[in-house]
Amino acid sequence: MNITETKSEGLKKEYKVVIPATDIASKIDTKIKQIAKTAKLPGFRAGKAPFEMLKKKYHDSVLGEVIDDAIRSGTAELVKNENLRPAMQPEVKITSFADGKDLEFEVNLENLPEIKIGDFSKVKLDKFMAEVPAEEVEKALKYISESHKETVVAEGKKAAKGDVVMIDFVGSVDGVEFQGGKGTNYPLELGSGSFIPGFEDQLIGAEAGAKIDVNVKFPENYHAKDLAGKDALFVVDVKEVREPKVVELNDEFAKSVGAKSLDALKEDIKNRIKNDYENASRMKIKRQLLDALDTEYKFDSPESLVDAEYKSIVAQYEQAKKYNQLDASEKEKSEDELLKEYKDIALRRVKLGLLLSEVGQDAKISIKPEDINAAIMNEAKKYPGQEKAVLDYYLKNKSAVEALKAPIFEEKIVDYIISKADVSEKIVTVEELYNFNDEDKSSKKTSTKKTDKKSA
């Protein structure tokens, strides 16, 4: 096999590969000899037919398979001999071939860039930390009590904000009932904002037994397009008015929500809030790290990978646009501005992905079974009360487990780099901890100390 590099522009490479006709003929003979072991021809026992007769019969049928094999093995040999690392599957084009002649084909590919890993101890990072304020614990405790509050029938009372009214209702637009506009014995908390704007306000002051016509207008961005922006009438029967029963925050209440005591419940709440703070801190230090790496490392990224990532981002944008799910910042920009921004994002993602992958290989970082188990347990914790269902899901879906591996690998690499970096702890307020605006860096001035790198 003869290999000639015909073009080299940055990461893009083009090669001409020639496989001699004698090699192709030899591969054809080999294939036919394999067929000959079991082939049957009239007048001959299986495996005893003359080779030339078999060659005449099977030559054309094995030729295509031989060419495919030759191109596949030839491309693999090219990659190995030239020490290439293709970013994506190489493109192959046959440029010349006829039976009995040399096989010539072109191979076009983009090579992965050479990345030299630097000294991570020179990377300076801030680890932001915040103490859990007592009022945050009390606020969370109040939220738990509110979510577990009971209501009691309030005879003769006029419904007020915070009360629950048990209602039957039928909705219509232009006198015609619409799908999903009917309910029976529905418990509606006034002031909860769970119904469309203006609905709940018109029930304040109502008493049990009242029949009320509620006139409202569906929001312009309502999810049901056929109702968006339209006026509607709801005929509402108020069956009961219920008021919330005061929840006493004591050991008995704590036990009702699964804690041993009120103090234990408060400690559990504090630990959960602390865990949320640590997650926010992790997000901030990871963003700092990625920004630092993006600034420090300069290398070309394969256009094919960037284009693939860009198309993926644009597809997500088109989906969000279709269902009116763009965020405020996206709505403020023109499509040209957004597409340019998405191109920059795609380039950054590919660049950092290649860099982190190189670091992972250089540091011999691997994913262990315990890493996957820990990730699955973390996923299960996100769904309190449904942990078993989550665990069963991953147990039965290998593809879901595989999907966890890439983020696990990335987080292990990030941990590795942080462990090598120059990390300083900064005690900040909760507001500062959750401020992810780059413009507000100057406000994060507090006591600073070097931290144990293992804790970063």
Side-chain angles (χ1 to χ4, degrees):
M1 186 175 76
N2 181 36
I3 299 172
T4 305
E5 184 176 320
T6 55
K7 188 184 294 184
S8 179
E9 295 178 357
L11 299 175
K12 293 182 178 179
K13 307 284 185 182
E14 183 179 291
Y15 296 88
K16 177 183 178 182
V17 179
V18 179
I19 299 180
T22 52
D23 288 358
I24 300 296
S26 175
K27 292 176 184 292
I28 291 173
D29 287 350
T30 299
K31 286 281 185 185
I32 295 175
K33 286 176 182 177
Q34 291 174 347
I35 295 172
K37 294 177 182 178
T38 56
K40 293 182 180 179
L41 288 181
F44 298 94
R45 286 180 293 138
K48 298 298 182 179
F51 179 76
E52 288 304 321
M53 290 180 67
L54 291 170
K55 188 172 182 178
K56 185 175 181 180
K57 179 178 177 63
Y58 292 106
H59 176 277
D60 292 347
S61 62
V62 302
L63 181 59
E65 186 180 346
V66 166
I67 296 301
D68 287 343
D69 287 346
I71 290 174
R72 188 163 43 250
S73 60
T75 303
E77 190 174 339
L78 160 67
V79 169
K80 181 179 179 181
N81 291 349
E82 299 294 321
N83 294 315
L84 300 173
R85 298 193 302 161
M88 298 185 77
Q89 185 70 25
E91 294 181 3
V92 177
K93 177 183 177 183
I94 297 176
T95 54
S96 176
F97 178 70
D99 195 10
K101 302 290 185 180
D102 293 346
L103 169 64
E104 297 181 10
F105 60 92
E106 287 180 356
V107 178
N108 289 278
L109 57 83
E110 272 195 294
N111 212 21
L112 290 175
E114 292 291 332
I115 304 173
K116 185 178 180 182
I117 306 301
D119 182 1
F120 293 128
S121 66
K122 296 179 181 178
V123 177
K124 295 184 181 296
L125 302 172
D126 291 327
K127 182 180 181 181
F128 298 107
M129 304 171 67
E131 301 294 336
V132 179
E135 55 266 29
E136 285 296 314
V137 176
E138 292 301 322
K139 189 188 297 182
L141 186 60
K142 183 179 179 181
Y143 175 81
I144 293 174
S145 68
E146 287 287 324
S147 64
H148 286 79
K149 71 182 178 184
E150 298 177 354
T151 60
V152 293
V153 176
E155 298 287 354
K157 183 184 179 184
K158 292 184 178 181
K161 194 172 183 179
D163 289 341
V164 172
V165 288
M166 301 296 294
I167 60 173
D168 293 345
F169 60 89
V170 178
S172 61
V173 172
D174 296 330
V176 179
E177 293 183 22
F178 54 85
Q179 187 175 2
K182 183 183 290 187
T184 304
N185 285 330
Y186 188 92
L188 175 61
E189 181 182 340
L190 301 184
S192 65
S194 55
F195 274 30
I196 59 178
F199 190 104
E200 295 167 25
D201 293 341
Q202 296 178 54
L203 297 182
I204 291 176
E207 296 181 81
K211 189 169 186 177
I212 301 171
D213 288 346
V214 175
N215 291 282
V216 291
K217 184 173 184 175
F218 283 99
E220 295 293 341
N221 62 347
Y222 194 65
H223 62 85
K225 300 296 183 184
D226 57 326
L227 298 176
K230 292 186 177 179
D231 294 319
L233 168 66
F234 285 86
V235 177
V236 180
D237 287 324
V238 181
K239 305 179 78 174
E240 282 183 351
V241 175
R242 306 179 68 90
E243 60 184 359
K245 182 180 177 182
V246 176
V247 177
E248 292 187 29
L249 298 177
N250 51 27
D251 289 346
E252 185 177 343
F253 168 74
K255 290 176 182 177
S256 73
V257 295
K260 292 182 179 179
S261 65
L262 184 60
D263 287 341
L265 177 58
K266 289 181 177 180
E267 188 63 26
D268 180 56
I269 291 171
K270 182 177 180 179
N271 288 335
R272 275 186 275 172
I273 294 173
K274 185 178 180 182
N275 184 61
D276 289 341
Y277 289 1
E278 288 172 351
N279 288 337
S281 177
R282 168 72 175 187
M283 288 174 64
K284 292 180 84 73
I285 197 170
K286 182 178 178 181
R287 176 184 286 189
Q288 287 178 60
L289 173 61
L290 296 179
D291 286 346
L293 295 177
D294 188 33
T295 301
E296 179 67 23
Y297 286 84
K298 306 294 182 185
F299 54 84
D300 292 333
S301 295
E303 287 182 17
S304 54
L305 294 182
V306 176
D307 286 344
E309 184 64 31
Y310 173 69
K311 288 177 182 176
S312 174
I313 296 172
V314 171
Q316 292 174 27
Y317 160 72
E318 294 291 352
Q319 187 79 352
K321 182 181 176 182
K322 179 180 178 181
Y323 292 101
N324 196 26
Q325 295 174 339
L326 296 177
D327 60 39
S329 64
E330 288 174 314
K331 290 178 180 179
E332 292 171 358
K333 298 174 183 177
S334 69
E335 187 157 272
D336 285 344
E337 288 178 306
L338 284 173
L339 294 179
K340 183 182 182 305
E341 187 177 298
Y342 295 153
K343 193 73 173 182
D344 292 339
I345 291 172
L347 179 59
R348 174 184 163 98
R349 284 185 183 176
V350 170
K351 175 184 175 182
L352 291 173
L354 292 173
L355 175 57
L356 293 179
S357 178
E358 194 73 27
V359 172
Q361 293 179 46
D362 186 67
K364 295 181 173 57
I365 293 172
S366 60
I367 299 174
K368 299 177 182 177
E370 52 264 36
D371 297 323
I372 295 175
N373 291 337
I376 292 174
M377 292 304 296
N378 285 334
E379 287 297 310
K381 288 177 184 176
K382 295 177 183 177
Y383 304 92
Q386 302 179 51
E387 290 88 349
K388 186 178 184 303
V390 175
L391 295 176
D392 287 344
Y393 170 75
Y394 282 103
L395 189 64
K396 297 174 182 177
N397 291 273
K398 290 184 179 180
S399 60
V401 175
E402 286 297 316
L404 290 175
K405 290 184 177 180
I408 291 172
F409 188 53
E410 179 177 305
E411 292 306 312
K412 291 192 75 170
I413 295 167
V414 168
D415 284 338
Y416 169 79
I417 300 174
I418 291 175
S419 73
K420 303 289 184 182
D422 183 2
V423 181
S424 297
E425 285 185 356
K426 286 190 174 181
I427 307 301
V428 298
T429 65
V430 176
E431 290 75 16
E432 290 170 327
L433 179 63
Y434 282 96
N435 179 15
F436 288 92
N437 294 322
D438 295 334
E439 299 83 9
D440 200 23
K441 292 179 181 177
S442 60
S443 68
K444 298 181 176 67
K445 295 238 182 206
T446 52
S447 60
T448 303
K449 64 176 180 177
K450 293 289 177 64
T451 187
D452 176 0
K453 290 177 179 173
K454 290 182 180 178
S455 69

